[in-house]
Amino acid sequence: MPLDVSPNALMDSFGRSVSYLRLSVTDRCDLRCTYCMPEKMRFLPKTEVLSLQDLARLSYIFIHRGVRKLRITGGEPLVRRDVMDLFRDMSRHLQSGALDELTLTTNGTQLALHAEALAACGVKRVNVSLDTLDADRYRKVTRLGDIGMVLAGIEAAQAAGLKVKLNAVASKGAFEDEIDALICFAHGRGMDLTLIEEMPLGETGLDRSKSVLSLRDLQTDLARRWTMTPVHRNTGGPARYMAVAETGGQLGLISPMSCNFCALCNRVRLDCTGRLYTCMGDEGSVDLRPALDQSYRATVLAIRHAIAAKPERHKFDMSRMVAPAVKRHMSVLGG
Ligand code: SAM
Ligand code: SF4
């Protein structure tokens, strides 16, 4: 089948072209981060989760219709059994030139086991989530995690030649005391660091209004100690980047709650059951499974239909931090 290279291959009604797919391969996770899910999280029954073969088929259709960048995420993607088969499958599209980039977002706990295989599949960059360098605080935030495994994962990834970026969810309190150390740690090891503002996705059993930290406020505070200059990076994503003169590294700031980043949005998200979400901050989704069972053509039509209805902007609102703006947890779609 010839590649669909028409400029409006997957175009929404606001003229935004979709070239980036984030694929969540599982909603399950080996951690229970406090801002992400409750301690007693109920995961999807395994019967509802698509096989890796079906997820590969769906990904292929997106790639065929103009998606150039694919990020594998979760839940924790590396806890899904045989997930490396999917990476191997997708690496064929890198080799053929149909895909520009294959990446991963992970909590890093299993990264040491998979780093070399990921590099062999053509993965060049991975995002690792790490909110603290303090082992006790890490355990507290993740409820289950051992920071040693994440640090070993980061080391293994770098040894395998992968470029690592750290993601940290900003929060009030200890995080503010530790942010300078986190910047030094990341930049000192050649990693960029991106700070994420907590989003009101799903019930966690905790009051988010007590933990959410505005990145605007944090940036003002950081500017008292660090020389930060805005850097233009055309990623189509929500992050703003700052070059930090003292370290030579870059600091990304993702503030969906306080900034409007929707005008340039080039991405859609697929969950592990085959549901397509065209906006992280909207409840709307379309089940692609019936179309996938029918035919390639039916699936393309369903995708086009969903993308045509992509909302103009998300509906997050700082004043609604007391209740989830969206019922689904972040682990359904990943970051
Ligand atoms: N388990 C993997 C990980 O932690 O990197 C991938 C999925 S996780 C849901 C993706 C990213 O979302 C992580 O960087 C995590 O810190 C972030 N995250 C989770 N819940 C969030 C929330 N409510 N608001 C903002 N970011 C959140
Ligand atoms: Fe798991 Fe990632 Fe959610 Fe933490 S943020 S509980 S690692 S899915």
Side-chain angles (χ1 to χ4, degrees):
M1 247 176 291
L3 276 180
D4 186 345
V5 291
S6 58
N8 62 349
L10 290 175
M11 183 81 83
D12 74 8
S13 59
F14 301 96
R16 295 170 299 191
S17 178
V18 171
S19 57
Y20 184 3
L21 175 67
R22 293 194 168 198
L23 172 64
S24 169
V25 295
T26 178
D27 67 323
R28 287 168 192 256
C29 189
D30 53 344
L31 304 182
R32 300 285 185 275
C33 302
T34 48
Y35 45 75
C36 183
M37 55 177 75
E39 190 161 13
K40 292 194 173 23
M41 179 69 172
R42 283 181 56 186
F43 296 107
L44 287 167
K46 288 197 172 155
T47 48
E48 284 189 30
V49 176
L50 284 186
S51 66
L52 289 175
Q53 290 75 13
D54 280 345
L55 290 175
R57 275 171 69 209
L58 273 174
S59 304
Y60 174 69
I61 295 173
F62 278 93
I63 293 166
H64 201 234
R65 289 288 146 173
V67 159
R68 305 289 311 174
K69 182 171 168 184
L70 177 62
R71 177 174 294 279
I72 307 295
T73 180
E76 174 45 40
L78 296 182
V79 303
R80 172 123 193 210
R81 188 159 3 122
D82 299 330
V83 71
M84 291 314 300
D85 291 348
L86 180 71
F87 278 95
R88 276 184 279 275
D89 213 348
M90 292 301 110
S91 76
R92 290 184 302 122
H93 304 306
L94 283 176
Q95 282 159 16
S96 75
L99 197 60
D100 292 333
E101 200 177 30
L102 178 60
T103 57
L104 165 76
T105 300
T106 175
N107 63 26
T109 61
Q110 317 275 321
L111 191 51
L113 290 173
H114 297 291
E116 281 189 13
L118 287 165
C121 289
V123 175
K124 300 252 185 298
R125 302 189 300 130
V126 293
N127 288 356
V128 178
S129 302
L130 185 64
D131 308 315
T132 174
L133 298 169
D134 181 277
D136 291 337
R137 191 169 163 254
Y138 183 78
R139 165 67 65 145
K140 224 167 139 188
V141 172
T142 63
R143 293 194 182 103
L144 295 169
D146 170 359
I147 198 171
M149 293 172 76
V150 184
L151 298 178
I154 291 171
E155 216 168 281
Q158 291 192 311
L162 300 174
K163 192 160 171 50
V164 179
K165 177 167 81 72
L166 295 188
N167 282 340
V169 174
S171 56
K172 280 181 193 154
F175 179 85
E176 293 169 277
D177 299 333
E178 223 196 312
I179 178 64
D180 290 351
L182 214 46
I183 292 173
C184 291
F185 173 81
H187 292 181
R189 284 160 184 77
M191 300 181 281
D192 288 341
L193 170 67
T194 294
L195 308 178
I196 310 175
E197 208 163 75
E198 185 173 338
M199 290 180 264
L201 296 172
E203 282 291 354
T204 58
L206 301 174
D207 180 355
R208 288 192 194 273
S209 68
K210 295 219 163 75
S211 56
V212 71
L213 174 65
S214 152
L215 289 192
R216 259 190 218 291
D217 297 347
L218 183 62
Q219 194 180 335
T220 307
D221 183 47
L222 287 173
R224 294 192 184 104
R225 303 185 297 280
W226 302 94
T227 315
M228 300 193 297
T229 318
V231 183
H232 182 68
R233 272 164 70 169
N234 196 6
T235 62
R240 294 173 287 128
Y241 290 92
M242 300 284 172
V244 181
E246 289 80 358
T247 62
Q250 290 198 3
L251 188 66
L253 299 152
I254 301 186
S255 23
M257 302 300 294
S258 49
C259 287
N260 185 1
F261 57 80
C262 304
L264 298 174
C265 183
N266 62 353
R267 62 197 61 192
V268 292
R269 296 173 162 86
L270 198 56
D271 78 6
C272 62
T273 71
R275 274 196 168 273
L276 178 62
Y277 295 76
T278 56
C279 176
M280 170 81 95
D282 191 88
E283 295 283 8
S285 67
V286 171
D287 185 2
L288 295 181
R289 225 173 346 187
L292 188 67
D293 289 342
Q294 261 180 50
S295 66
Y296 172 92
R297 190 179 144 71
T299 312
V300 173
L301 285 176
I303 293 170
R304 279 200 194 287
H305 197 66
I307 288 179
K310 182 171 161 71
E312 185 176 15
R313 51 159 301 146
H314 70 69
K315 300 186 182 77
F316 292 139
D317 177 353
M318 238 4 189
S319 62
R320 291 171 67 189
M321 272 323 255
V322 280
V326 171
K327 285 200 192 76
R328 112 183 79 78
H329 292 90
M330 185 83 173
S331 53
V332 173
L333 293 182

